[in-house]
Amino acid sequence: MGRFIIPEYVIVSEVDESLVMLDMRDGHYYTFNESGVDFLKSILDGESLSGAVKMIKKNYQQVPLNVDKEFREFIDFLLKKGLLIESEDHE
């Protein structure tokens, strides 16, 4: 997996400690909790998947044993829904 960006048709808003992503193509919106927000911000800042997971493990006390798998599935979900796309800029 490379670098990721949020496409222009997705509107992102932070509400309290959650993140809301609105897909303007179909009007569906998705909310993510605090750890999901931190993970996503890290990925969007260019951190690798493993680096972002390490950050979550460091910053959160109760992390599931399969957190790596869960966040890989989270990225796959965002890609499948079109809320995140892989950047063609591979600097």
Side-chain angles (χ1 to χ4, degrees), residues 17-89:
E17 294 178 354
S18 297
L19 186 81
V20 177
M21 297 180 91
L22 172 64
D23 186 336
M24 296 299 292
R25 299 173 301 174
D26 59 15
H28 286 102
Y29 69 93
Y30 305 84
T31 59
F32 305 104
N33 65 18
E34 186 178 3
S35 61
V37 173
D38 289 345
F39 176 79
L40 186 55
K41 284 181 179 178
S42 183
I43 290 292
L44 291 170
D45 285 342
E47 186 62 67
S48 67
L49 179 63
S50 61
V53 169
K54 284 180 188 175
M55 178 273 302
I56 292 294
K57 288 179 178 178
K58 178 181 172 187
N59 293 339
Y60 290 87
Q61 293 182 358
Q62 295 183 342
V63 177
L65 293 175
N66 62 342
V67 68
D68 300 79
K69 179 179 181 271
E70 286 186 13
F71 279 116
R72 209 172 2 264
E73 289 172 354
F74 179 52
I75 291 292
D76 289 343
F77 170 80
L78 295 172
L79 289 168
K80 180 180 175 184
K81 293 294 183 180
L83 300 173
L84 199 64
I85 56 177
E86 282 198 74
S87 172
E88 294 182 19
D89 181 17

